[in-house]
Amino acid sequence: MNKARSISAMVALPIVLVLLWWVATLGNSNPFIPKPVALLTDLWETWANSRFLEHVVPSIVRLLSGLSIAIVGGIVLGVLIGSNLTVRKIMGPILEFVRAIPPPVLLPVLMMVIGIGDETKVFLIALGCLWPVLLNTVDGVRSVDPVLRDTTSSYNIGGLTRLRFFLLPAALPRIVTGVRLSLPIALILMVASEMYAATNGLGFSIIYFQRTFQNGPMWAGVVVLGLVGIIMALAFRWFERRILSWYYAQRELETSG
Amino acid sequence: METTIEEPASATGILAPQRASFHDNPWSTPLLGAIGVVAFMGVWELAPRIGLVNSDYLPPFSVVMVQLVSLLADPVFWEALGDTMLSWLIGVAISLSAGAAIGLIIGSSEALIRYTTSTIEFLRPIPSVALIPIAIVLFGINSTATVFVIVWACFWVILVHVMSGIDDVDPVAESTARSYGLGWAWRARFVTFPTALPFLMTGLRLCGTIALVVGITIELVVGTPGLGELIATSQSAGNVSTVYALALLTGVLGLAINYGMKFIENRALHWHPSVRSEQPA
């Protein structure tokens, strides 16, 4: 009973919206406005074939490679910068400024330096996503519990052991926050770089359909892109719950006790 | 100015710096920060000069700076900046008012929250850039398209922040206000509003940055008027140093927006503990 109610609450509004959309476009012949049924057929006919392999998969590969480089690089640099006060103070203003540059601006710059291949797109995604991860790692490392820090020093725990069992777990919640912030940036940069200069990819296909006035496939492409965004958000939420379950449990204890 | 914070040192007449731990351990100090900046400029200046990188692709820092100064004297730059900032301002204003109003309505009702959560969680992760072609089809290549995409990107951020702000209202405070016979409007003014305001301000600050990134992206990709378009045309015309100068200037713009938003936030929340404790007494 309860479950049925929560499911009905979940699907009620989407159903109403789709019905409204269907009724509102019933007699409409404007080619620019999509209709629900036509959109579904377009989605199936345009994307559920080799185009998926040719254009969606390369995009995802670029996105994930750029993101992985950013996460690894951001954590490594963040730990280095965060654990050394002098380095942090020297780098502070530069980091602050570079972070303030909107990442898409780097697209033309990188294209001049590296060219328009896949490396440019991966590098751009990595560069744009690096800052949220890096800055959050630095903040996470510098805000570790001072008692724990002194304890590890007293026990003469250093080097990799300190990193593995003290610094990284302590900074992990902030690192995860940084990764969460970098997900939408990665998507924006992936699509923007493909729309700007590319021969394949999701962004390229969508802008190609738009320029050749194939509105049905274009709308279907937008839906595919939206689904990619939603799946990424869900996957990340699942991952976050798993990797930080100990942290949430601890916080709950602290706030309730 | 604020003398409410107890300061033991001032009792003895010695002005010892009593600061929050945040200020003991700042991101930077003027001297070391300046060393970092100078070193960065030095590397940028030298790398192309000694042939480490091709100066056709990365001109020396001084060349870029000369170009930057001449851009500042160029009305074309100011026009592009004006276009970008106008789209930014309109986009943020629409998202703020629509997001706050709708967030307030949905957030105040349990039933509305239950019935809209799935839709909001479905629509929110749709990347704003996905809407670029739709905006072009609907509005053409102009600033309205830019505003449309900015509103899509920012609206959800404001909405979600306002909703979690209203959710954060202390039930004891709310019941107390009810017991004292405060009506709906008074409770909204003295209970809900002060609780939700910090959340709204965080959302607004995030939006400032998001709107700039998204706005520049659409200008760059499809050429709606603004700084992004200017960068794209400079790049295709091969004005390498102009591209770098514009990239630096958008960085300055980004910084200005960050600090401006931070300032507005501190002003609006000057009474809030999180802001008061940050001030070095």
Side-chain angles (χ1 to χ4, degrees):
Chain A
M1 178 60 203
N2 224 341
K3 192 152 192 183
R5 269 189 55 183
S6 74
I7 288 177
S8 73
M10 241 176 83
V11 297
L13 185 61
I15 289 178
V16 170
L17 287 178
V18 171
L19 277 180
L20 275 179
W21 177 21
W22 184 67
V23 171
T25 56
L26 210 52
N28 198 317
S29 58
N30 185 338
F32 293 132
I33 294 173
K35 301 177 179 185
V37 181
L39 188 62
L40 274 182
T41 26
D42 275 328
L43 192 61
W44 181 256
E45 281 171 8
T46 317
W47 293 98
N49 49 39
S50 62
R51 182 173 274 118
F52 188 82
L53 285 181
E54 282 162 30
H55 292 288
V56 182
V57 175
S59 296
I60 307 282
V61 170
R62 284 172 199 146
L63 183 91
L64 292 182
S65 346
L67 204 53
S68 323
I69 296 174
I71 294 172
V72 174
I75 294 177
V76 171
L77 289 175
V79 169
L80 289 179
I81 296 176
S83 26
N84 187 319
L85 192 68
T86 317
V87 174
R88 192 167 79 219
K89 286 183 173 173
I90 289 178
M91 300 293 284
I94 292 287
L95 289 181
E96 187 84 359
F97 180 74
V98 177
R99 181 183 60 148
I101 300 177
V105 167
L106 300 173
L107 184 57
V109 173
L110 288 178
M111 277 179 41
M112 291 188 303
V113 180
I114 323 182
I116 58 166
D118 266 359
E119 316 86 56
T120 308
K121 298 181 182 80
V122 172
F123 191 66
L124 178 76
I125 296 171
L127 205 59
C129 298
L130 180 71
W131 307 114
V133 182
L134 173 67
L135 294 170
N136 276 289
T137 308
V138 171
D139 270 339
V141 169
R142 66 186 268 239
S143 62
V144 291
D145 183 354
V147 177
L148 267 179
R149 190 185 57 213
D150 295 346
T151 313
T152 46
S153 314
S154 313
Y155 281 93
N156 219 356
I157 298 170
L160 282 180
T161 321
R162 183 165 180 272
L163 185 69
R164 164 71 185 84
F165 290 102
F166 168 54
L167 272 185
L168 281 185
L172 196 61
R174 292 302 302 266
I175 296 176
V176 170
T177 305
V179 176
R180 185 182 333 113
L181 290 175
S182 66
L183 287 184
I185 300 180
L187 262 179
I188 288 183
L189 291 177
M190 175 196 96
V191 176
S193 65
E194 289 172 356
M195 284 179 172
Y196 195 69
T199 49
N200 67 351
L202 203 41
F204 165 78
S205 313
I206 294 176
I207 209 82
Y208 169 80
F209 287 138
Q210 185 251 315
R211 286 191 180 138
T212 50
F213 302 101
Q214 305 183 51
N215 286 295
M218 180 199 88
W219 275 98
V222 172
V223 172
V224 174
L225 194 49
L227 288 176
V228 170
I230 292 163
I231 292 170
M232 268 179 63
L234 288 178
F236 183 77
R237 201 183 301 167
W238 176 82
F239 173 75
E240 186 185 9
R241 289 232 175 98
R242 277 201 62 154
I243 195 174
L244 284 182
S245 53
W246 57 273
Y247 174 71
Y248 293 129
Q250 195 179 330
R251 270 240 317 237
E252 208 166 302
L253 269 182
E254 274 167 15
T255 46
S256 67
Chain B
M1 286 194 323
E2 291 271 352
T3 49
T4 46
I5 299 167
E6 211 181 328
E7 208 172 326
S10 59
T12 62
I14 305 161
L15 279 174
Q18 280 275 319
R19 288 166 176 229
S21 64
F22 180 82
H23 290 270
D24 280 343
N25 209 355
W27 259 95
S28 188
T29 52
L31 181 67
L32 288 173
I35 291 176
V37 174
V38 170
F40 179 75
M41 292 180 194
V43 170
W44 187 348
E45 179 69 35
L46 284 178
R49 288 216 185 275
I50 61 174
L52 209 60
V53 290
N54 189 338
S55 59
D56 287 344
Y57 299 137
L58 180 67
F61 183 70
S62 53
V63 177
V64 173
M65 279 321 273
V66 169
Q67 189 61 39
L68 191 147
V69 171
S70 72
L71 266 177
L72 289 179
D74 192 342
V76 173
F77 166 74
W78 293 104
E79 202 182 311
L81 179 67
D83 285 333
T84 297
M85 285 316 290
L86 190 64
S87 310
W88 181 88
L89 193 66
I90 298 176
V92 170
I94 294 177
S95 322
L96 180 64
S97 28
I102 297 176
L104 191 68
I105 295 170
I106 297 179
S108 318
S109 148
E110 279 295 324
L112 277 179
I113 293 179
R114 228 180 31 244
Y115 279 93
T116 52
T117 304
S118 62
T119 311
I120 292 175
E121 287 306 310
F122 182 76
L123 292 177
R124 198 161 65 97
I126 295 177
S128 47
V129 282
L131 299 190
I132 291 180
I134 297 175
I136 299 304
V137 166
L138 291 180
F139 303 108
I141 297 178
N142 55 45
S143 294
T144 317
T146 314
V147 171
F148 174 78
V149 179
I150 290 178
V151 168
W152 177 271
C154 291
F155 170 76
W156 301 109
V157 178
I158 300 273
L159 180 77
V160 169
H161 276 87
V162 169
M163 281 174 65
S164 47
I166 294 173
D167 184 50
D168 197 51
V169 167
D170 183 358
V172 178
E174 174 77 12
S175 318
T176 313
R178 273 176 200 272
S179 316
Y180 278 94
L182 265 68
W184 181 86
W186 287 81
R187 287 204 309 276
R189 165 69 188 85
F190 290 107
V191 181
T192 313
F193 179 71
T195 315
L197 192 63
F199 289 81
L200 178 66
M201 283 295 154
T202 309
L204 184 62
R205 177 158 48 81
L206 290 173
C207 277
T209 314
I210 296 171
L212 183 68
V213 171
V214 169
I216 298 252
T217 306
I218 176 168
E219 290 163 10
L220 190 71
V221 171
V222 293
T224 58
L227 284 174
E229 185 213 8
L230 194 57
I231 293 176
T233 46
S234 310
Q235 192 243 334
S236 39
N239 296 328
V240 180
S241 53
T242 313
V243 173
Y244 281 100
L246 283 168
L248 286 180
L249 285 170
T250 54
V252 175
L253 182 62
L255 268 189
I257 287 179
N258 281 351
Y259 284 122
M261 287 307 204
K262 197 92 197 149
F263 177 76
I264 294 175
E265 189 179 3
N266 283 349
R267 261 309 183 66
L269 298 178
H270 63 92
W271 49 271
H272 196 267
S274 75
V275 174
R276 282 180 27 187
S277 66
E278 262 185 33
Q279 272 158 15

